[in-house]
Amino acid sequence: MSSFSRYGDITSIDTTGASLETANQDRLGYSGIAASQALMATDLGRANHYRPLIYQVAHAHQIDPALIGAIASRESRVGAALVDRRWHSPCGSYDSREHLMQATEILVGMIGAIKQKFPSWTKEQQLKGALAAYNMGPDKVNGYHNVDANTTGHDYSNDVIARAKWLKENGF
């Protein structure tokens, strides 16, 4: 699957990468795109384990598989650091197709919400906004230039995009 999905081209989305707060998960001591790349590289083995499942779900939703892999890395380090969140009832076990489909459907729903809220944004801007909304809800996305102002680590969409780009560059 190319870097372009029905929701935009992840390779053309601007990103600043991970904040120092996020990078400190692995005690990196630095932030930015390099930190996001290092975090994703640590998770690559686990992401590759789920690659066939990720590709199935990506194909079903016409979304770049690198983006799904990057979200899985950011959310739970691809299963290595699971945290039970109660804002929705998960379908299936964390490593099931049902769960991955549900998570991707939530993202697609956020894309729709951001598209409606910001119809003049490009597809890529809407996708980045949807990533922030995936983390905190669409009502907390107030503009493109401060899209991560209310996200965990104040970097959620920027970190996920940087991780996705790294995955894409490394053949995912």
Side-chain angles (χ1 to χ4, degrees), residues 9-154:
D9 178 359
I10 63 168
T11 65
S12 69
I13 300 174
D14 62 305
T15 182
T16 56
S19 66
L20 192 55
E21 178 182 341
T22 298
N24 279 337
Q25 291 175 2
D26 285 7
R27 297 184 183 93
L28 295 178
Y30 56 92
S31 61
I33 293 169
S36 294
Q37 292 170 339
L39 292 162
M40 191 66 247
T42 298
D43 297 341
L44 183 59
R46 288 183 301 279
N48 279 331
H49 176 76
Y50 295 107
R51 183 184 259 193
L53 184 60
I54 289 170
Y55 271 66
Q56 286 175 21
V57 171
H59 180 73
H61 288 287
Q62 299 175 357
I63 199 159
D64 196 307
L67 189 59
I68 295 172
I71 292 169
S73 172
R74 172 64 189 233
E75 285 290 317
S76 69
R77 304 305 299 269
V78 194
L82 286 171
V83 176
D84 188 14
R85 295 184 183 164
R86 298 288 182 189
W87 64 271
H88 74 282
S89 298
C91 291
S93 63
Y94 81 92
D95 59 352
S96 69
R97 182 178 190 280
E98 293 81 14
H99 184 74
L100 198 54
M101 285 291 281
Q102 180 187 34
T104 305
E105 288 164 4
I106 291 168
L107 175 61
V108 169
M110 292 301 142
I111 293 169
I114 293 300
K115 222 181 230 189
Q116 189 171 17
K117 187 172 181 177
F118 299 103
S120 65
W121 285 9
T122 66
K123 281 185 173 187
E124 288 76 15
Q125 289 172 323
Q126 290 169 347
L127 181 56
K128 189 173 179 180
L131 288 168
Y134 183 87
N135 178 251
M136 65 181 170
D139 57 321
K140 299 266 177 95
V141 178
N142 298 314
Y144 186 74
H145 296 291
N146 65 345
V147 71
D148 280 327
N150 298 308
T151 64
T152 306
H154 305 291

